[in-house]
Amino acid sequence: MKVNLEVNCTPEEARAFFGLPDLKPMQDRIMGEIEERLRSSLNAMNPEAIFKTWLPASMQGVEQMQQIQQAFWAQLANIASGKKE
C-alpha cells in the first residue's frame, strides 16, 4: 500500500504549523549591520593604502636596491674615468 500526501503551503505557513520561530527580522538586522560595516571599511581604504599595507617591506627593499644600484654604477663610472673617491 502506497500513500501520497501533497501539502501546498508557503515556508512561512509550514514554520508556523510546526511552531518554529520566524528569524527573518533578526536576519535582516544582522545583514544590514554587516552591509554597513563592509561599506564603511571599503570607504576607509583607498587602493594606495591597501597597496602600502600589503607590501611595505618589499617596497622599501626595492627602493634600497635602486639606491645601491645607483651607487654601484656611479662608483664604476668613477673608476672607469680614473677618479678616486
Side-chain angles (χ1 to χ4, degrees), residues 52-84:
K52 286 181 180 178
T53 302
W54 286 347
L55 301 170
S58 63
M59 288 306 293
Q60 291 173 356
V62 170
E63 291 172 2
Q64 289 174 350
M65 287 299 293
Q66 288 176 345
Q67 291 172 353
I68 292 170
Q69 183 182 14
Q70 289 172 353
F72 172 78
W73 287 112
Q75 186 67 23
L76 190 61
N78 288 339
I79 292 171
S81 65
K83 293 181 184 176
K84 292 186 180 180

Side-chain angles (χ1 to χ4, degrees), residues 16-45:
F17 177 77
F18 288 109
L20 298 173
D22 184 15
L23 300 177
K24 181 119 174 77
M26 182 183 68
Q27 291 172 339
D28 290 339
R29 282 194 312 269
I30 291 173
M31 288 305 293
E33 288 179 21
I34 291 172
E35 183 178 349
E36 182 181 326
R37 287 181 186 182
L38 180 61
R39 285 185 186 191
S40 67
S41 296
L42 290 176
N43 290 336
M45 297 293 286

